[in-house]
Amino acid sequence: MAFPYIRTMGTEVDAFLGQLARHLRPEVKKLAGLLLQRLNGEFPELWENADIEVLTLEETAQHVTALLDLLESRPGAGVPEAPPAALDIARLYARRGIPVSRLLRAYRLGHLSLLEQLQAEAPRLTDDWHMINLATVRLVAIGFDYVDRSSEEVVAAYQEERDRLLQRRLALTDRASKRIGTTLDISRTAEELTEVCTEDFADLVTVDLLDSALDETGTGPPEALTQRRVAQRSVLDDCPESPLRVGGTHTYPDDSEPVRALTTGRSVLHHIAGTEMPTWVAPSESHGRVLRDLGLHSVLLVPLHARGEILGLVQFVRHRTSASFDDDDLLLAQEIVSRAAVSIDNARRYTHERSTALALQRTLLPRNTVKHAAVETATRYLPAGSRAGVGGDWYDVIPLSGARVALVVGDVVGHGLHAAATMGRLRTAVRAFADIDLMPDELLTHLDDVVIRMQREESAGEGETSATCLYAVYDPVSRRCSLASAGHVPPTVVTPSKISEALPEVPIGPPLGLGGLPFETAEFDLPEDSLLVLHTDGLIAGLTRDVDQGLATLRDVLTSAPDSLEEICDRLLGALLPGRPADDVALLVARTRALDPGHVATMDLPSDPAAVSGARRFASGVLATWGLDELSFTTELVVSELVTNAIRYGKSPVQLRLILQSTLTCEVSDASSTAPHLRRARIYDEGGRGLLLVAQCAERWGTRHGREGKVIWAEQALPADSASSGQVT
């Protein structure tokens, strides 16, 4: 606003204002102090710490100097720019989250106070009240022009800093979303949180989880507030701010801020003024001195809250940077922690489910290496090292009748508890089918039906059950191996002379669960001391390696295989899986043995009832040779009943075979596929008691069918002295 009479007297008024400015020049610091006293009560944030106080005094002095320079300059001079300290204060207000309106009010009050001081000094230079009035009007116009210009620059600096902070916070949020939760490991997820937030947000970050949240059994008391430090990171080496180390447990006082944050689920922004140091921050006097020396001034306490449950507490501490945490920082910390909490809860749930599935799977797998006269075995099971979870891989070694043994390896599609439970059901089914001595292809056909029934029982959310399986039977008497595959890779065979590049026509049938497609049994002879290596595809397939490369590596290892099967397993895993496997791995290595011909006795029998007595005499003579005379009576009875049944109800040829192994086995084979049935004869029946007598005399008995007939067998336990004398192989 301009006045004509001021313009006419402008020269005299400007000269008077210049004289006033020169008069007050030596009093700049005094004027600045008086202005700050005026602002002291209304703006306490200007004196919250020494740095702000010094900067505020410097800024006020610069404003006074700038206005005096403006008064002393010649008429028409432009309004000077805001002093550098004023821009620094604006940026400081922005960093501390103080509203810009507070800053502008401080400007108005400050400049009004300065104008009042200048007006009070004018009568000291002249008693011309007309000049004083004109100078006052002129002074008001110049002062408010200066305030307007300075305010524009200060607001611009404030907004620029706020934009920069917003960009930084957005960048921090973006980094947190990308870098936190990259694994399903609780500790690693917590470490990622501390790493991200100590880059340019906090000077110390700690992550504590409640013991009840880490309790995998879920039996921990929910009211217990004992916490475990799972991660912490500081901008200083060795983390001197925290007396607790990772893995340690601790509790806070009941009336402390952390406990209130945990019990209420509400975040806390706590400023530490002067030498005040709460006990929950510094539990000891020595630690308090360390924190005071570091200049710790503000703490954020943010509960880890996921899916309606409090998991723990994250602390953010500042001491190196002068800017304390503000409400915006608290909101930012809450957003980052909420994302981290979901990742930690996912990792916690995954760890619990994985541990449960792994425990279930290991319970369902054979606990000890099976000792069998037909084969020597070594096994390995490795769970997946990825976030996919425990799968449904399994292996088994099943003793069969006639000194034979079944070797099994399978893989259920999928991971987790469902896959592990399905594996247990399939392994039980395989053992049940093996107990009735099914051929490999027939066993897989029945197992395929089991999987199809399981599919029908499943809910829509469980996914479709499917599996692969390899079932092999080895006979140490004939040294013949029979096997069938349901979508599973064939075994690798190593004979004493060389590695078999390909087994004789081992057809791979469809995976289990498709139904309607046939399986085929392949048969081949194996020399004694041959190796059979059965495994799931996790051993040979990988993210950077195809199956053919894996098989080539496996064969290279087996080319120079040591005698120890355990060492063979270790070498295979070391060569094929140098790191944690991406998928579950089941490995079964078996070395074949041949039964000593001196422990097998065979007699071909004519289809004539008169041959029964000869069979009894043959059995008695063989037992005498083997030193088992005390088993002669029961053995002759078993042989008599089995041979009589075969001659009466079976077809030629009929054969009797005695096998001495860990038990004494009597086998009678014929060409008929009709299986006998155990029944109880009535009082006046003349027959029907044969198999009942066999069942009473033998520990186990049964029937197995082949391509050309059946075999009825019965096993008897050996006398203790015979077993201990080393006659059994």
Side-chain angles (χ1 to χ4, degrees), residues 297-321:
H297 54 76
S298 60
V299 180
L300 294 178
L301 303 174
V302 184
L304 280 159
H305 188 278
R307 298 180 176 95
E309 183 180 359
I310 299 295
L311 306 180
L313 188 69
V314 183
Q315 292 192 50
F316 302 87
V317 176
R318 278 185 182 173
H319 55 74
R320 187 175 61 173
T321 56

mmCIF file of all heavy atoms in Angstrom, residues 297-321:
data_model
loop_
_atom_site.group_PDB
_atom_site.id
_atom_site.type_symbol
_atom_site.label_atom_id
_atom_site.label_comp_id
_atom_site.label_asym_id
_atom_site.label_seq_id
_atom_site.Cartn_x
_atom_site.Cartn_y
_atom_site.Cartn_z
ATOM 1 N N HIS A 297 17.974 -40.054 22.094
ATOM 2 C CA HIS A 297 16.962 -39.030 22.370
ATOM 3 C C HIS A 297 15.537 -39.434 22.024
ATOM 4 O O HIS A 297 14.592 -38.781 22.462
ATOM 5 C CB HIS A 297 17.308 -37.725 21.638
ATOM 6 C CG HIS A 297 17.514 -37.887 20.162
ATOM 7 N ND1 HIS A 297 16.479 -38.039 19.288
ATOM 8 C CD2 HIS A 297 18.665 -37.904 19.429
ATOM 9 C CE1 HIS A 297 16.965 -38.149 18.055
ATOM 10 N NE2 HIS A 297 18.292 -38.071 18.108
ATOM 11 N N SER A 298 15.325 -40.478 21.223
ATOM 12 C CA SER A 298 13.937 -40.859 20.937
ATOM 13 C C SER A 298 13.866 -42.333 20.562
ATOM 14 O O SER A 298 14.810 -42.900 19.990
ATOM 15 C CB SER A 298 13.335 -39.999 19.815
ATOM 16 O OG SER A 298 14.067 -40.134 18.624
ATOM 17 N N VAL A 299 12.713 -42.940 20.898
ATOM 18 C CA VAL A 299 12.500 -44.371 20.683
ATOM 19 C C VAL A 299 11.089 -44.579 20.142
ATOM 20 O O VAL A 299 10.138 -43.936 20.594
ATOM 21 C CB VAL A 299 12.671 -45.170 21.992
ATOM 22 C CG1 VAL A 299 12.442 -46.664 21.743
ATOM 23 C CG2 VAL A 299 14.037 -44.943 22.608
ATOM 24 N N LEU A 300 10.969 -45.471 19.161
ATOM 25 C CA LEU A 300 9.673 -45.932 18.682
ATOM 26 C C LEU A 300 9.481 -47.376 19.128
ATOM 27 O O LEU A 300 10.365 -48.220 18.942
ATOM 28 C CB LEU A 300 9.591 -45.873 17.154
ATOM 29 C CG LEU A 300 9.622 -44.500 16.480
ATOM 30 C CD1 LEU A 300 9.587 -44.674 14.969
ATOM 31 C CD2 LEU A 300 8.460 -43.651 16.939
ATOM 32 N N LEU A 301 8.328 -47.673 19.716
ATOM 33 C CA LEU A 301 7.968 -49.029 20.107
ATOM 34 C C LEU A 301 6.768 -49.449 19.272
ATOM 35 O O LEU A 301 5.685 -48.888 19.408
ATOM 36 C CB LEU A 301 7.624 -49.092 21.597
ATOM 37 C CG LEU A 301 8.698 -48.600 22.570
ATOM 38 C CD1 LEU A 301 8.154 -48.586 23.984
ATOM 39 C CD2 LEU A 301 9.935 -49.482 22.492
ATOM 40 N N VAL A 302 6.972 -50.436 18.397
ATOM 41 C CA VAL A 302 5.915 -50.849 17.467
ATOM 42 C C VAL A 302 5.667 -52.344 17.636
ATOM 43 O O VAL A 302 6.559 -53.161 17.371
ATOM 44 C CB VAL A 302 6.302 -50.546 16.009
ATOM 45 C CG1 VAL A 302 5.149 -50.899 15.073
ATOM 46 C CG2 VAL A 302 6.682 -49.072 15.845
ATOM 47 N N PRO A 303 4.476 -52.738 18.087
ATOM 48 C CA PRO A 303 4.172 -54.172 18.232
ATOM 49 C C PRO A 303 4.109 -54.868 16.872
ATOM 50 O O PRO A 303 3.655 -54.288 15.880
ATOM 51 C CB PRO A 303 2.808 -54.191 18.922
ATOM 52 C CG PRO A 303 2.647 -52.828 19.511
ATOM 53 C CD PRO A 303 3.391 -51.898 18.605
ATOM 54 N N LEU A 304 4.583 -56.109 16.851
ATOM 55 C CA LEU A 304 4.426 -56.974 15.683
ATOM 56 C C LEU A 304 3.056 -57.631 15.784
ATOM 57 O O LEU A 304 2.826 -58.486 16.637
ATOM 58 C CB LEU A 304 5.524 -58.034 15.654
ATOM 59 C CG LEU A 304 6.889 -57.606 15.119
ATOM 60 C CD1 LEU A 304 7.972 -58.548 15.606
ATOM 61 C CD2 LEU A 304 6.881 -57.570 13.593
ATOM 62 N N HIS A 305 2.165 -57.216 14.907
ATOM 63 C CA HIS A 305 0.772 -57.632 15.000
ATOM 64 C C HIS A 305 0.367 -58.263 13.679
ATOM 65 O O HIS A 305 0.445 -57.620 12.625
ATOM 66 C CB HIS A 305 -0.107 -56.412 15.308
ATOM 67 C CG HIS A 305 -1.523 -56.746 15.610
ATOM 68 N ND1 HIS A 305 -2.447 -56.981 14.635
ATOM 69 C CD2 HIS A 305 -2.175 -56.888 16.796
ATOM 70 C CE1 HIS A 305 -3.614 -57.251 15.186
ATOM 71 N NE2 HIS A 305 -3.478 -57.197 16.499
ATOM 72 N N ALA A 306 -0.041 -59.544 13.733
ATOM 73 C CA ALA A 306 -0.443 -60.233 12.501
ATOM 74 C C ALA A 306 -1.581 -61.189 12.804
ATOM 75 O O ALA A 306 -1.522 -61.967 13.763
ATOM 76 C CB ALA A 306 0.735 -61.001 11.895
ATOM 77 N N ARG A 307 -2.614 -61.117 11.980
ATOM 78 C CA ARG A 307 -3.759 -62.028 12.056
ATOM 79 C C ARG A 307 -4.359 -62.089 13.459
ATOM 80 O O ARG A 307 -4.659 -63.157 13.988
ATOM 81 C CB ARG A 307 -3.364 -63.429 11.585
ATOM 82 C CG ARG A 307 -2.909 -63.460 10.126
ATOM 83 C CD ARG A 307 -2.533 -64.866 9.692
ATOM 84 N NE ARG A 307 -2.185 -64.888 8.271
ATOM 85 C CZ ARG A 307 -0.944 -64.791 7.812
ATOM 86 N NH1 ARG A 307 0.060 -64.661 8.660
ATOM 87 N NH2 ARG A 307 -0.702 -64.820 6.513
ATOM 88 N N GLY A 308 -4.489 -60.899 14.070
ATOM 89 C CA GLY A 308 -5.134 -60.813 15.366
ATOM 90 C C GLY A 308 -4.288 -61.271 16.531
ATOM 91 O O GLY A 308 -4.806 -61.424 17.643
ATOM 92 N N GLU A 309 -2.995 -61.439 16.337
ATOM 93 C CA GLU A 309 -2.125 -61.937 17.405
ATOM 94 C C GLU A 309 -0.893 -61.047 17.516
ATOM 95 O O GLU A 309 -0.318 -60.626 16.499
ATOM 96 C CB GLU A 309 -1.703 -63.374 17.099
ATOM 97 C CG GLU A 309 -0.847 -64.004 18.178
ATOM 98 C CD GLU A 309 -0.460 -65.434 17.837
ATOM 99 O OE1 GLU A 309 -0.885 -65.923 16.769
ATOM 100 O OE2 GLU A 309 0.263 -66.055 18.630
ATOM 101 N N ILE A 310 -0.493 -60.744 18.764
ATOM 102 C CA ILE A 310 0.733 -59.988 19.013
ATOM 103 C C ILE A 310 1.892 -60.975 19.050
ATOM 104 O O ILE A 310 1.924 -61.894 19.879
ATOM 105 C CB ILE A 310 0.658 -59.210 20.341
ATOM 106 C CG1 ILE A 310 -0.500 -58.208 20.299
ATOM 107 C CG2 ILE A 310 1.978 -58.482 20.602
ATOM 108 C CD1 ILE A 310 -0.328 -57.104 19.283
ATOM 109 N N LEU A 311 2.850 -60.793 18.150
ATOM 110 C CA LEU A 311 3.984 -61.710 18.055
ATOM 111 C C LEU A 311 5.203 -61.215 18.816
ATOM 112 O O LEU A 311 6.031 -62.017 19.246
ATOM 113 C CB LEU A 311 4.373 -61.921 16.585
ATOM 114 C CG LEU A 311 3.260 -62.370 15.640
ATOM 115 C CD1 LEU A 311 3.804 -62.531 14.232
ATOM 116 C CD2 LEU A 311 2.644 -63.667 16.133
ATOM 117 N N GLY A 312 5.340 -59.902 18.964
ATOM 118 C CA GLY A 312 6.517 -59.362 19.621
ATOM 119 C C GLY A 312 6.567 -57.856 19.485
ATOM 120 O O GLY A 312 5.534 -57.190 19.262
ATOM 121 N N LEU A 313 7.775 -57.303 19.602
ATOM 122 C CA LEU A 313 7.941 -55.849 19.636
ATOM 123 C C LEU A 313 9.195 -55.465 18.856
ATOM 124 O O LEU A 313 10.239 -56.116 18.970
ATOM 125 C CB LEU A 313 8.078 -55.377 21.089
ATOM 126 C CG LEU A 313 8.078 -53.865 21.330
ATOM 127 C CD1 LEU A 313 6.695 -53.287 21.046
ATOM 128 C CD2 LEU A 313 8.488 -53.570 22.768
ATOM 129 N N VAL A 314 9.072 -54.392 18.067
ATOM 130 C CA VAL A 314 10.214 -53.827 17.342
ATOM 131 C C VAL A 314 10.521 -52.459 17.930
ATOM 132 O O VAL A 314 9.614 -51.640 18.115
ATOM 133 C CB VAL A 314 9.913 -53.699 15.833
ATOM 134 C CG1 VAL A 314 11.143 -53.170 15.099
ATOM 135 C CG2 VAL A 314 9.493 -55.047 15.251
ATOM 136 N N GLN A 315 11.794 -52.216 18.231
ATOM 137 C CA GLN A 315 12.235 -50.918 18.751
ATOM 138 C C GLN A 315 13.106 -50.221 17.718
ATOM 139 O O GLN A 315 14.011 -50.831 17.138
ATOM 140 C CB GLN A 315 13.030 -51.087 20.043
ATOM 141 C CG GLN A 315 12.220 -51.575 21.220
ATOM 142 C CD GLN A 315 12.992 -51.451 22.513
ATOM 143 O OE1 GLN A 315 13.551 -50.394 22.830
ATOM 144 N NE2 GLN A 315 13.030 -52.533 23.280
ATOM 145 N N PHE A 316 12.822 -48.932 17.505
ATOM 146 C CA PHE A 316 13.631 -48.080 16.648
ATOM 147 C C PHE A 316 14.219 -46.980 17.536
ATOM 148 O O PHE A 316 13.486 -46.317 18.275
ATOM 149 C CB PHE A 316 12.792 -47.449 15.533
ATOM 150 C CG PHE A 316 12.095 -48.451 14.652
ATOM 151 C CD1 PHE A 316 10.845 -48.956 14.996
ATOM 152 C CD2 PHE A 316 12.682 -48.887 13.484
ATOM 153 C CE1 PHE A 316 10.193 -49.863 14.201
ATOM 154 C CE2 PHE A 316 12.039 -49.800 12.661
ATOM 155 C CZ PHE A 316 10.790 -50.296 13.024
ATOM 156 N N VAL A 317 15.511 -46.792 17.458
ATOM 157 C CA VAL A 317 16.205 -45.843 18.337
ATOM 158 C C VAL A 317 17.007 -44.870 17.487
ATOM 159 O O VAL A 317 17.607 -45.259 16.476
ATOM 160 C CB VAL A 317 17.140 -46.590 19.317
ATOM 161 C CG1 VAL A 317 17.931 -45.604 20.167
ATOM 162 C CG2 VAL A 317 16.337 -47.541 20.194
ATOM 163 N N ARG A 318 17.027 -43.597 17.934
ATOM 164 C CA ARG A 318 17.874 -42.593 17.279
ATOM 165 C C ARG A 318 18.788 -41.947 18.309
ATOM 166 O O ARG A 318 18.356 -41.614 19.412
ATOM 167 C CB ARG A 318 17.023 -41.506 16.612
ATOM 168 C CG ARG A 318 16.505 -41.903 15.236
ATOM 169 C CD ARG A 318 15.774 -40.761 14.559
ATOM 170 N NE ARG A 318 15.235 -41.167 13.260
ATOM 171 C CZ ARG A 318 14.442 -40.418 12.513
ATOM 172 N NH1 ARG A 318 14.081 -39.222 12.944
ATOM 173 N NH2 ARG A 318 14.005 -40.863 11.344
ATOM 174 N N HIS A 319 20.040 -41.789 17.901
ATOM 175 C CA HIS A 319 20.998 -41.073 18.748
ATOM 176 C C HIS A 319 22.042 -40.332 17.921
ATOM 177 O O HIS A 319 22.543 -39.294 18.319
ATOM 178 C CB HIS A 319 21.699 -42.046 19.708
ATOM 179 C CG HIS A 319 22.382 -43.206 19.019
ATOM 180 N ND1 HIS A 319 23.552 -43.082 18.311
ATOM 181 C CD2 HIS A 319 22.036 -44.512 18.954
ATOM 182 C CE1 HIS A 319 23.905 -44.265 17.839
ATOM 183 N NE2 HIS A 319 23.007 -45.152 18.205
ATOM 184 N N ARG A 320 22.354 -40.858 16.759
ATOM 185 C CA ARG A 320 23.390 -40.216 15.944
ATOM 186 C C ARG A 320 22.847 -39.002 15.208
ATOM 187 O O ARG A 320 23.531 -37.981 15.079
ATOM 188 C CB ARG A 320 23.963 -41.233 14.950
ATOM 189 C CG ARG A 320 25.163 -40.713 14.164
ATOM 190 C CD ARG A 320 25.762 -41.789 13.279
ATOM 191 N NE ARG A 320 24.803 -42.272 12.294
ATOM 192 C CZ ARG A 320 25.113 -43.117 11.317
ATOM 193 N NH1 ARG A 320 26.344 -43.582 11.232
ATOM 194 N NH2 ARG A 320 24.204 -43.521 10.460
ATOM 195 N N THR A 321 21.627 -39.096 14.726
ATOM 196 C CA THR A 321 20.990 -37.972 14.043
ATOM 197 C C THR A 321 20.282 -37.097 15.066
ATOM 198 O O THR A 321 19.711 -37.587 16.036
ATOM 199 C CB THR A 321 19.974 -38.481 13.015
ATOM 200 O OG1 THR A 321 19.028 -39.322 13.678
ATOM 201 C CG2 THR A 321 20.670 -39.286 11.928
#
